[in-house]
Amino acid sequence: MLVLQLLASGLQTGALYALTAAGFALIFGATRLFHFAHGATYALAGYAFVLADHAGLPWPIGCLIALAVAVAFGLFTDIAIYRPIQRHSASFFTVFVAAFGVVIFIQSALEITFGRSFIAVSSALTHASQILPGLYLAQVFWVAIAVTVLVFGALGWFLSRSNSGIALRALAENTELLRAYGLSARRFSALAFALGSALVVPGAVLGAATTGLSPVVASHVMLVSLAASVVGGIGSLRGAAFGGFLLGIAENLVVAVLDTQWSEAAGFVVLFAFILLRPSGLFGTAVAR
Amino acid sequence: MSAYLLNLAELGTIFALLSLSLNVLIGYGGIFSVAHAVFFGVGAYAGAQIALHLAPDVLLAALGGGLAAGVLSFALALPALRVRGEYFVVASLGLQMVATTVFTEAQGITGGYGGLVGIPPPSLFGLDISSPRLFLSVCIAILLAVMAGVHALMRGSFGRSLMAVRDSESAAEAFGKIVPILKTLAVVLGCIIAGAAGGLFALQMSFVNVESFTLDQSVLIMAMVIIGGVGTLLGPLLGTALLLLLPAALSFLPGIPPTELGAVQQGIYGLAMTLLMIFRPGGIAGRAEGRR
Amino acid sequence: MSPILSVRGLAKHFGGVAAVQGVDLDLPAGLITALVGPNGAGKTTLFNLITGAVEADTGRVMLAGTELARRTPARMARLGVARSFQDLRLFQSMSVQANVLTAIEPHAWFWQPGGRRAHARRLQATEMALAETGLSALADALAAELAYAERKFLSLARILATGAQIWLLDEPASGLDPASRARFSALLRKHAGQGVAICLVEHNLDIVSALADRIVFLDQGRKLAEGEPQAILRDPALAAIYFGERRA
Ligand SMILES: Nc1ncnc2c1ncn2[C@@H]1O[C@H](COP(=O)(O)OP(=O)(O)OP(=O)(O)O)[C@@H](O)[C@H]1O
Ligand SMILES: [Mg+2]
C-alpha cells in the first residue's frame, strides 16, 4: 500500500507542479522568454496567502490577495526587467542572468523578513482519513485534483474559444508569427504574463496549506517549472502539465526505495534522462535554432 | 598583515581562480553553468582526501582536485553540450541540486554533513608552508601561472574559435569549427581550474563540508564573473575583490544582525546582477553597450 | 565543363511547408550562377541543405563526382565549400581581423598545427583578404562597429581567406550603394576567373544580368527554369511570378 500512498501524494504534488509549469509554458509560448523568475512569483503568492491568513482574513480573500500579488509581480518582471533588456539585447543569457538575479533577490528578501524556516497555515483540509487499508487521503488531495481539473478546463476553454486565447495559442505555435507581428505581440506578452503568473496561485496556496513554505521554494519552483517544461517539450502547455505530474510522482515514488533526501534529486534524474535522450520532450517538436 | 587580512587574501586568490575559470565558460564560450560549485567541491573533496591519505602537498592537492573535476566535467559535458544552451543551463541547475544531495549522502568520501576534518597543514615538496604568508605566496604563484596560461589560450586560436562559437554558432560551423569539441574543451578546462581551486581551498580551510558547494556558492561565483565583466581578463578579478569585500563592508553598516548577513549578501548579488543586465550587461569592466 | 558541385533531387519539408522539392543544380568551376526567385522560394533552404545545416529529406550532393552523404557544415567547409548568410552572422564582438583569421583556423584544439610558420601564412591570407575587400584600415575595429557595406564586405573577406573553390553567397549584394556594388561585382568576376564556382542569391535583376553566367529560377521550392540570363529575364511568365502578379 505504500506505493499507492506515495502515488496519491505524487498526484497531489504533481497537480500543483502541473499548474505552475503550465504558467511557465504559457509565458514561454507567447514571448519565447525563459521566465526563470516564475519561482519568485510562486513564493510571493504563497507568502501573501500566509500573511493574509495570519492577519485573520478569510481564505477566499487570502486567495484573491495571492492572485493580485502574483499577477502584479509577473507583469512587473515583464515591464520593468525583460522589456528594457530586450531593447538592447536579445540574448538568452542576459535575460537569464537578470531573471535569476530576481529569484535570488526575492528569496533573500523573504529570508530576511520571515526567516529561513517553514511557515504554514493550518487547515482542517489536511486531516487525513483512511480510504483503503493503508491508504490515507486528506480532503486537500481532492481539492488539489479538483482545482487542477477546473483550472485546466477553464484554461483550455479560454485558449480555444476566446479571441485573445486563440491569438496566444497561435503565437505559441508559430514563431514566424511572433516575428511578423513584432510590436503588437507586446500586448499578448502582458496577457501571457498575467495569466501565466495567475496559474501559480493554486499551487502556492495549497502548498502553504500542506507542506508549508520556506524562501527556497522560489528556486525549487523555478527548477520544477523548467524541468517540467523540458520534460514535456518546451512551449507545449499539455507537455508542461504532463511533465509536472511526472516530476511530482517521481519525487514521491522514489521514497519507496530511497531516503526522502533523494526525492528532489529523483526529479532531476528524470530531467537529465529527457535532456539526453529526448531533448524535444514528450510533446515538443525540435525547436529550430 | 593581520591574520584576518591574510586569510581574506588566501580566499581571494582561490576565488579569483574560480571566477577566472567560470569566465572561460561564460565569457569566452557563452556556456552558462550554474553548477560551478559542484566542480569546486569535487576538487576540494579530492584534495582533502589526498591530503589526509597521501600528503598535504599543495601542488598534489591542486592537481588531484583538477583531475577529479576535469574527469567528471568531461563525462557530463559530452552529452550535455549536444543540446541547446538553454537546456544546458537547466541541466546544470539540476546537477547542482543533485550534487548537493550526493555530497551530503556519500559519507564515505565526503564525510556527509560533518564534512572532512583534520586536514593536515599544507606542504610543498616536503617543505612545511603552513605559515599563512608562505601559503598565500604559493596560491598567488599558482593564480598568476593559471592567469598567464588562460590569457595565452584566449588570445590564441582557441580563444578566437570559442568566441566565434559564442557570437554565432552556425557561422562558426560554416567555417569548419567543430562546436561540440570546442565547447567540451572549454568546459573541461574551466572545471579543471575550478577543481584545482577546490584542492587549495581544502588545504586553506583544513576542513571541508557540503555548505561550501551549494547553489549559493555557484551563484556567488557567477555573480563575481558577471558583476566584474564577462569575457575580460580583469573583470572576474575585480568582481572577486568586490564581492569578497562586501561582507566586510556590510559589517560596518549598522542595523544588520549578523545572522542575516548571508541573506543580505545574496540579496545584493541578485539585485546587482539584475540591474547590471538592464543597464550595463558587459559588467563593470566590460564595454558599456549591450552585446548581441 | 563538368560541374564541380552538383545537386540531384534535394527536398525538404518543414511540417506542411514544402520548402525545397526535388531541385537539381550544377555549379561549374569558373562560372557565376545566380539563384533567383520570390521570397520564400527556398533559396536559403537550398544552401542549408547543400551544406548540411539542415538535413535533407531526400536527394544527393556530389563534389567533383564523389557523393557526400551525412553532410555537416564543418565538414563541407573543410571540403572547400564556403557560404555566407543572408543576415551575415559576423562574429560581432571580435575585431575585423579576428573575424577573418578565425575563419581559417578550423582545428578544434587548444592550438593550430603547423606552428609559427603556418600562423604567419594565415596572417598573410587574412591581410590579403582584408586588402582585397578594402577593410585593411579597419582591421582592429570591432565587427559590430562597422557600417553596412563594410559588414557585407567582411562576410565576403571571411570566405575569400579560406581559399574555398565553391562559394554559396546568400544575398551578398543587397542594399549596397552603386560604388560598393561595382567593387563587389569586380571581386566576384576576378575570383570566378580564377576558377571558383560561385552561386549567389540575388533579388536585384540588374546585378544578376550584369554578373551572372547562368540563372536558376526557383519558386515554391521548385526549379522552374534554368539558362542564359537574357533568356530567363525576358520570359514573361517568370517575370510575372517574380513580381508576384500571378502564382504558377
Ligand atoms: N527552419 C525552418 N523551419 C520552418 N520553416 C522554414 C525553416 N526555414 C525555412 N522555412 C520555410 O521554408 C520556406 C522557404 O524559405 P527560404 O528561407 O529558403 O526562402 P528564401 O527563398 O531564402 O526567401 P528570401 O528571399 O525571403 O530569403 C519558407 O516558407 C520558410 O518559411
Ligand atoms: Mg533567403
Side-chain angles (χ1 to χ4, degrees), chain B residues 18-32:
Chain B
L18 271 177
S19 58
L20 185 84
S21 68
L22 185 60
N23 191 34
V24 173
L25 275 73
I26 295 185
Y28 293 97
I31 306 162
F32 264 66

Side-chain angles (χ1 to χ4, degrees), chain C residues 90 94-104 122-141 143 146 150-162 183 187 190-191:
Chain C
L90 302 177
M94 296 161 64
S95 73
V96 167
Q97 195 227 21
N99 262 269
V100 178
L101 188 54
T102 195
I104 47 178
R122 285 191 298 270
L123 278 179
Q124 201 186 358
T126 302
E127 235 164 75
M128 278 172 59
L130 290 181
E132 229 181 306
T133 47
L135 292 170
S136 296
L138 293 164
D140 294 326
L146 295 184
E150 292 160 358
R151 299 167 52 79
K152 292 235 146 189
F153 276 105
L154 177 54
S155 85
L156 209 56
R158 289 197 301 199
I159 293 176
L160 266 176
T162 62
R183 244 178 356 114
L187 202 73
K190 176 181 150 206
H191 284 271

